[in-house]
Each structure stands twice: as structure tokens, then as C-alpha cells.
Amino acid sequence: MKASAIIVAAGSGVRLGHPAPKAFVPLGGAPMLRYSLAAIAQVEAIGEAIITLPSGMEPAARAEIRAAGLAMPVKLTPGGAERQDSVRIALELASAHAEVVVVHDAARPFATPASFAAAIAVAARAGAAIAAIPLADTLKRVSEPNLIVATVPRTGLWLAQTPQAFRRDLLLEAHRRALADGIAATDDADLVQRLGAAVEVVPGSPLNFKITTADDLAIAAAIVASRAHRPATPGANG
Ligand code: CTP
Ligand code: MG
């Protein structure tokens, strides 16, 4: 069967500091969530979506599913306390017929359909694949509060993004083992790496940054205003 897409959108966005939960903060006239839904709607290899939500946001999410033209079956679920808990909860709801699941942050509105397709294709072959980009800047280790103590060679260093795709059984084992062992990681790939499984990278993009702060939101709004990255909503003009 086609892949299951998990869109994690249950966070409150404390660092953004907007009254709405981050996935529902307006970006270029549409809630941030709509961009990710519009992207997966264009991925032929995805057959269902599971979305983690803050409590009370199910009606708003249903409206975004319609606005994004997402025609596949969708499951909505409350998220957990941490992102990792939200992914695990969604993963347990994924169809047992899906060979691959792809996990994506609603906080990354500019992930392309091609990046989902690439991660899914490589995960189907190799077991796991994540979008990532090579580090471009010079990396300094700084001791508190402001003294540089070393330049860290950046050769071989990449920045992990989402989408991250995995064979479903592999990611399930990784999450169940992490829960049993009390392991907290900042991405799903790390939990799979802990099993000793291979994880490949596929090309991410600097545009696929995570909206964390108000500055990030301002940059995202400027990108949308450039009209190059509007969500592909039915009936949208321009
Ligand atoms: N997320 C989630 N469940 C949680 C925490 C986060 O589904 N318990 C999701 C967020 O909605 C977001 C993604 O995971 O799409 C990445 O998390 P992050 O950028 O940290 O978002 P927030 O947790 O909302 O932001 P903050 O940490 O500033 O509160
Ligand atoms: Mg968070």
C-alpha cells in the first residue's frame, strides 16, 4: 500500500509567542498547516495522512484539509506531551498495510512534494531517509557567555530537516524501544540510528526551514509574498 504521512501539528509554539497554536498561525493568508497538507496532496506515493493536533483544533483542521484539496483518508488525533510522543501516537494509528511512513513538521511550510517523494522512495529501498542540507556556515564552539573555544570542521556535517521517511516496522520498533528505555531524541532518525539501522539523506532545502521564532515567521511571510511558495489550494489565484 501507499505510504502514510504523519504531520505533527500539536505544538503550541511557545517560542513563536502567537496566541494561536503554531500550525494555525496565519502565513500569507492561510494557516501554516495548509502548506504541508497542500504539499502531501500532490505526492502520488502517499495514501493516508495522520495529523496530530492541539486540543480543540479538529474543526479548524478539517477546514484546512478541504482548503488544501487533500482527498486521501485522514486521521486526526490529539498530540502527546512532546513531539516524540505525538509521532508515536500517530504512528500507532498508521495503516498496518503501509510499508513506509513519512513524518513531517507542520512548522516547515515550504517542504516540496518532491522532497516527500524522494524520502519515501529511498526509505522503501534503504529503510530510512531524511531531508537534510550540508552545513554552509563556519561552525564555532563557544564557551559561555561569548568566547570562541574552537572552530568545528564542518566537513560531513549536515542539518536534519523533515520530511523523514522510514519503513513503518522500523520506526515503530524505534519509538517503542525509546519509550521503554526512556530515550528522548530531537528527531525520528536518531531513534532509528540508535537501533543501528542505516539512515540516508536526500536533498533538503534552505527554504525548508522550521518556523520557530517571530523572525522566522517574518521571513516565511516575505517568501510567500514573493508569490513563489503559495500553497497549491484549489481555486487559489496567482
Ligand atoms: N509538535 C507536536 N506535538 C508536540 C510538540 C510539537 O506535534 N507535543 C509538532 C509541532 O506542532 C511542530 C513540530 O512538532 O510542527 C516541531 O515542533 P516545534 O517546532 O518545537 O513546535 P512547537 O513545539 O509548537 O514550538 P515550541 O517548542 O516553541 O513551543
Ligand atoms: Mg517544541
Side-chain angles (χ1 to χ4, degrees):
M1 183 193 137
K2 289 183 177 183
S4 300
I6 292 171
I7 306 295
V8 282
S12 52
V14 171
R15 289 168 289 178
L16 186 57
H18 192 280
K22 188 158 70 181
F24 294 90
V25 168
L27 171 60
M32 201 182 298
L33 175 63
R34 192 186 304 173
Y35 293 76
S36 294
L37 300 183
I40 64 170
Q42 295 176 50
V43 182
E44 182 61 34
I46 295 175
E48 71 167 359
I50 305 149
I51 309 171
T52 70
L53 294 168
S55 65
M57 298 310 290
E58 287 79 5
R62 295 262 174 229
E64 290 316 310
I65 290 162
R66 281 192 298 277
L70 191 65
M72 62 186 67
V74 179
K75 297 167 183 162
L76 304 182
T77 177
E82 303 293 338
R83 181 190 183 281
Q84 184 173 322
D85 304 306
S86 291
V87 174
R88 188 186 62 255
I89 289 165
L91 185 57
E92 298 281 359
L93 295 174
S95 167
H97 300 296
E99 189 201 351
V100 169
V101 296
V102 59
V103 182
H104 181 61
D105 295 328
R108 296 182 188 271
F110 303 134
T112 61
S115 70
F116 282 92
I120 290 166
V122 175
R125 168 177 59 73
I130 72 166
I133 53 173
L135 208 63
D137 294 339
T138 299
L139 197 58
K140 301 294 189 189
R141 188 178 306 284
V142 177
S143 73
E144 296 296 336
N146 59 5
L147 186 67
I148 292 174
V149 293
T151 298
V152 181
R154 70 173 180 233
T155 312
L157 293 184
W158 292 56
L159 298 171
Q161 301 182 334
T162 71
Q164 301 196 344
F166 310 89
R167 280 203 338 262
R168 189 181 58 86
D169 55 356
L170 180 63
L171 189 61
L172 257 181
E173 184 189 353
H175 269 275
R176 288 173 178 170
R177 180 133 0 140
L179 183 65
D181 295 348
I183 301 288
T186 50
D187 76 349
D188 298 286
D190 190 46
L191 299 180
V192 169
Q193 291 167 239
R194 285 167 190 273
L195 297 180
V199 181
E200 295 193 14
V201 296
V202 297
S205 163
L207 284 176
N208 185 28
F209 62 95
K210 186 163 72 70
I211 295 179
T212 302
T213 64
D215 282 347
D216 297 328
L217 184 64
I219 293 166
I223 291 168
V224 174
S226 79
R227 306 177 71 93
H229 291 276
R230 289 193 184 283
T233 56
N237 42 46

